[in-house]
Amino acid sequence: MYVLAYHWTMAEFTPAPVNINPTNFPERLFTVCVLFVGFILFSSLLGSAAALIKQGKQHAYLQIKESNKLCRFFVDHQVSVALSS
């Protein structure tokens, strides 16, 4: 019976329909535990991906900011184009 409960639980994460349902308390408890662990893992993965995206955007922003500071310095101090590039 635990194999059927595990099959049903894994099928819940996929778009495939399944006609198997947990029928007793241990099967339902097992299903809830597997779904709970899946939600935790998925939310952890999603949080890590969001943090990486934010870190990449912040790095790009800092690069643009530093480039603008450098360009402003060149203009303010009248550095020639040949020297600045």
Side-chain angles (χ1 to χ4, degrees):
M1 291 306 249
Y2 287 105
V3 174
L4 290 177
Y6 183 74
H7 176 259
W8 179 83
T9 305
M10 290 297 108
E12 287 297 306
F13 290 109
T14 64
V18 65
N19 294 330
I20 302 169
N21 296 317
T23 58
N24 56 29
F25 181 75
E27 290 177 358
R28 286 186 178 101
L29 181 64
F30 179 74
T31 300
V32 168
C33 289
V34 171
L35 284 172
F36 186 68
V37 168
F39 290 144
I40 290 173
L41 292 175
F42 180 73
S43 61
S44 174
L45 176 71
L46 191 61
S48 296
L52 283 173
I53 291 170
K54 182 179 178 183
Q55 184 180 9
K57 285 183 177 183
Q58 189 174 21
H59 180 69
Y61 171 76
L62 290 175
Q63 269 188 320
I64 291 170
K65 188 176 175 181
E66 289 296 318
S67 177
N68 286 341
K69 281 183 186 178
L70 187 60
C71 287
R72 192 174 328 124
F73 175 82
F74 290 154
V75 169
D76 290 346
H77 292 86
Q78 298 175 349
V79 176
S80 68
V81 176
L83 184 62
S84 66
S85 57

